[in-house]
Amino acid sequence: MATTNDLKNGTVLNLDGQLWTVLDFQHVKPGKGGAFVRTKLKHVLSGKVVDKTFNAGVKVETANVDKREMTYLYRDADAFVVMDTQSYEQIHVPAETVGDAENYLLENQDITVGLHEGNPLFVELPPSVVLTIEYTEPGVQGDRSTGGNKPARLETGHEIAVPLFITNGEKVKVDTRDGSYLGRAS
């Protein structure tokens, strides 16, 4: 248990049996009345974001989320098999939990998995990854006033927009948060 005065970004709360992550919080002390804490909460499983207000000093139940470094091994039907780098224990993470992160996952890649009571809640990738361009059309010069983009298929099968000068087989850096092209990888 913690009070609303102890809230920080990233804290996981257990509200009515559901887990919520604190995205943003603000302590407010109006001229009249008691102080309160305005928060923006994200549901851990569904990703739904809601605003919730708590009175200052109210006790809230926090959830113990264990973030572990793991290695992605392979995909098994509708789950992803990951291995704990400390204990070498393998666990199956459901595809719904992995979500869009699957677009940037390569075998033997290190990831962070959040666990609550042994159940995987979320998967965190590094902010950027280096992937190889599997296929893209050759860039055509002319017919544009600024630099253009073209679609390119990554080795994971996901498509992103890249500049016209990128060719097949090149390694590029991709932002895992929004899927944008960050540059060539050296």
Side-chain angles (χ1 to χ4, degrees), residues 39-70:
T39 62
K40 187 174 283 194
L41 303 174
K42 179 179 177 185
H43 194 271
V44 171
L45 299 177
S46 69
K48 182 174 134 184
V49 177
V50 298
D51 293 323
K52 185 158 177 68
T53 304
F54 299 96
N55 289 329
V58 170
K59 291 205 179 294
V60 288
E61 188 178 343
T62 57
N64 186 17
V65 175
D66 183 21
K67 287 186 177 182
R68 289 197 213 162
E69 292 300 315
M70 299 201 173

Side-chain angles (χ1 to χ4, degrees), residues 6-167:
D6 301 329
L7 292 182
K8 296 186 297 230
N9 290 349
T11 303
V12 179
L13 303 177
N14 185 351
L15 302 174
D16 302 325
Q18 297 187 15
L19 299 179
W20 298 83
T21 304
V22 177
L23 296 179
D24 192 33
F25 69 97
Q26 179 181 18
H27 292 277
V28 180
K29 176 73 174 105
K32 285 169 88 174
F36 59 91
V37 180
R38 187 177 294 137
T39 62
K40 187 174 283 194
L41 303 174
K42 179 179 177 185
H43 194 271
V44 171
L45 299 177
S46 69
K48 182 174 134 184
V49 177
V50 298
D51 293 323
K52 185 158 177 68
T53 304
F54 299 96
N55 289 329
V58 170
K59 291 205 179 294
V60 288
E61 188 178 343
T62 57
N64 186 17
V65 175
D66 183 21
K67 287 186 177 182
R68 289 197 213 162
E69 292 300 315
M70 299 201 173
T71 302
Y72 166 61
L73 298 177
Y74 60 91
R75 181 159 187 166
D76 181 30
D78 58 345
F80 292 78
V81 179
V82 294
M83 178 182 67
D84 190 324
T85 55
Q86 303 293 312
S87 66
Y88 302 109
E89 170 191 3
Q90 292 183 11
I91 62 170
H92 287 66
V93 180
E96 306 85 55
T97 304
V98 174
D100 289 341
E102 110 176 73
N103 297 329
Y104 314 105
L105 267 179
L106 289 176
E107 290 182 1
N108 299 318
Q109 182 176 347
D110 289 334
I111 59 175
T112 303
V113 178
L115 299 167
H116 175 67
E117 297 175 355
N119 299 322
L121 297 177
F122 58 86
V123 171
E124 287 178 0
L125 295 177
S128 64
V129 291
V130 175
L131 297 168
T132 304
I133 298 292
E134 193 173 83
Y135 177 76
T136 186
E137 296 286 335
V140 179
Q141 296 292 6
D143 286 347
R144 64 181 186 279
S145 57
T146 60
N149 286 335
K150 61 182 180 178
R153 188 173 65 239
L154 300 169
E155 60 187 302
T156 60
H158 184 62
E159 266 196 18
I160 63 167
V162 296
L164 295 173
F165 58 82
I166 298 295
T167 59

